[in-house]
Amino acid sequence: DARREVHRRNVLLDSGEDPDRDRPDRAAGDRSFAALADMVLKAKEKTTRLKTQALRKDAVARYLKPAWGDRAANKVTRADVIELVEGIRDTGKGITANRIRSTANMIYNEGVYREFGGRGWLAYKPVHGTKPPLEVEPTRNRFLSREEIARLWITLEDQGVLVEAIGKLTVLTGQRIGSVLKAQWDGIDLDAGVWTTPPEHHKGGREIKTPLSAEAQAVIEKLAKLKLHEVWLFPSREGAKLPHIGNVSSKTLQRVREQAGLIGWTWHDLRRTLRVWMVSAPDHPRTPGLGIPADVVDHGLLTHEEPSLGVTRYLPDSERVWLRFAEKRDALERWSVFVMAAVAETSDSLAASA
């Protein structure tokens, strides 16, 4: 039955196998939902980030194909969508249910656009008119305290050279873990103290200039002496391929959590940590920080898209990437001093306790 099929597919997926490996090749005229999903995922590969591709493929394999795979794509109804996603939500997986709904919506939108099955055959979009099963998703507000920043830093120094550098650069620059992992040597200018992230390696599709503090440069200089790869700062074991983000964010993260005695944080929380301590006023009763203007942090350092009234809209990209650069450099230098002061305080405390 359906439950056994879901269980069978999940067991194979967890073991790294293809649950459809024993199925005969589908005919060219196959109009099943499974064929629609495969066609759309293939068509979107070149314009979709690897992480998003992996999440979509997993959603299709674990939930959508078991539910609708062999059914004609134009026979899936709104009631089917509601039953599936609300059933997932009712098992306590509300966020997963929202992601399944959005994946199904993307598949049908793209299928109609590409005239899957022939002109006019697929005209109905069953996800349209449905509501997210979890209407309000919980937001994360986890950030590291000064002591936790220091404990993380000290723990990173006991990891391998790559994990240490990845973690420290993420702490010091506030850049996304994906951008850090994809850093390339031709984007590093140690003389100028600048790290350039090309558009294809940035979530927003923009070139980003990140100032490197003295501490961040020291981390990179240590890597430069080893020069593990001609292109990537953080090559995978296979050489030219990138490190696998999943490994960095799961196995490695769990090990670092345990060794540092930290609970419930992710690599992305380091961006929130930087923002909290940078923006918080020096006289704040709970988080006395650096008092750096929020727009410098949010739009300059964290590279969130800035609402424009014309100030940046008409600037060429070659000029836009340098906006607020001096303020960004000053902010990151001050942040580096803040981090190292926290490390020194905690190290002294640990030494005294010992």
Side-chain angles (χ1 to χ4, degrees):
D1 60 10
R3 290 185 179 179
R4 287 198 185 95
E5 173 62 9
V6 170
H7 177 71
R8 182 190 74 83
R9 298 180 71 87
N10 285 343
V11 168
L12 290 173
L13 286 165
D14 290 337
S15 64
E17 297 182 45
D18 180 7
D20 294 320
R21 67 186 188 280
D22 297 326
R23 289 185 56 146
D25 291 337
R26 298 189 179 95
D30 189 353
R31 292 177 170 180
S32 67
F33 174 83
L36 167 64
D38 290 344
M39 182 272 287
V40 170
L41 292 178
K42 181 67 176 178
K44 300 284 283 184
E45 277 184 355
K46 292 184 179 180
T47 58
T48 306
R49 293 187 303 146
L50 292 176
K51 183 177 180 180
T52 302
Q53 286 184 44
L55 291 173
R56 287 175 174 174
K57 288 178 180 178
D58 190 68
V60 168
R62 289 185 186 272
Y63 295 97
L64 297 177
K65 280 187 178 180
W68 311 328
D70 293 325
R71 196 182 310 183
N74 66 351
K75 297 300 182 182
V76 177
T77 66
R78 183 177 299 160
D80 293 326
V81 175
I82 295 171
E83 180 183 9
L84 175 64
V85 298
E86 288 187 352
I88 297 170
R89 179 201 61 195
D90 293 343
T91 64
K93 299 179 179 179
I95 294 177
T96 298
N98 281 4
R99 300 297 176 268
I100 299 305
R101 176 185 173 275
S102 65
T103 300
N105 191 44
M106 180 275 298
I107 288 171
Y108 272 98
N109 284 342
E110 194 72 14
V112 171
Y113 169 72
R114 295 178 180 276
E115 297 187 335
F116 176 79
R119 182 184 294 272
W121 184 82
L122 183 65
Y124 174 61
K125 303 176 183 179
V127 186
H128 280 206
T130 65
K131 299 178 181 179
L134 187 64
E135 293 190 15
V136 180
E137 293 189 11
T139 57
R140 287 189 63 84
N141 55 14
R142 177 77 163 95
F143 67 92
L144 274 60
S145 66
R146 280 178 63 99
E147 181 187 353
E148 288 178 323
I149 294 170
R151 281 159 54 192
L152 171 61
W153 188 275
I154 293 168
T155 301
L156 287 170
E157 293 181 337
D158 291 331
Q159 309 303 310
V161 62
L162 290 183
V163 174
E164 177 186 1
I166 289 167
K168 286 184 174 181
L169 279 182
T170 305
V171 170
L172 292 169
T173 66
Q175 296 306 298
R176 295 177 177 86
I177 185 67
S179 295
V180 173
L181 290 174
K182 295 172 186 174
Q184 296 176 289
W185 286 113
D186 63 5
I188 301 294
D189 186 341
L190 289 174
D191 292 332
V194 179
W195 165 27
T196 301
T197 302
E200 61 270 22
H201 293 164
H202 181 256
K203 182 179 180 180
R206 294 179 287 133
E207 181 178 289
I208 301 298
K209 300 284 186 182
T210 303
L212 295 171
S213 63
E215 194 65 41
Q217 289 193 66
V219 172
I220 295 175
E221 285 169 355
K222 183 177 178 180
L223 279 177
K225 292 177 181 178
L226 300 174
K227 202 64 177 289
L228 300 174
H229 195 269
E230 291 300 313
V231 177
W232 311 109
L233 272 68
F234 307 110
S236 69
R237 293 176 182 176
E238 287 76 20
K241 294 182 180 179
L242 293 172
H244 192 280
I245 292 177
N247 288 339
V248 173
S249 63
S250 56
K251 297 177 184 178
T252 304
L253 178 60
Q254 186 59 32
R255 183 178 72 244
V256 173
R257 277 177 181 157
E258 293 173 356
Q259 293 181 8
L262 302 176
I263 298 173
W265 69 274
T266 67
W267 294 113
H268 197 77
D269 290 337
L270 297 180
R271 285 167 59 80
R272 186 179 300 104
T273 298
L274 176 144
R275 189 196 186 279
V276 167
W277 290 106
M278 275 194 173
V279 173
S280 188
D283 58 354
H284 193 284
R286 293 187 300 277
T287 53
L290 301 175
I292 296 169
D295 64 321
V296 173
V297 180
D298 292 338
H299 306 309
L301 292 172
L302 299 181
T303 67
H304 294 151
E305 191 63 45
E306 180 177 9
S308 174
L309 296 177
V311 177
T312 61
R313 183 177 300 169
Y314 303 109
L315 283 177
D317 290 342
S318 59
E319 294 183 26
R320 185 177 179 181
V321 294
W322 295 105
L323 281 176
R324 295 192 178 92
F325 190 79
E327 297 167 278
K328 288 162 59 176
R329 183 179 292 284
D330 176 69
L332 286 176
E333 288 290 358
R334 291 171 61 189
W335 171 242
S336 176
V337 171
F338 180 95
V339 170
M340 299 317 298
V343 171
E345 291 169 9
T346 301
S347 296
D348 291 344
S349 176
L350 292 174
S353 299

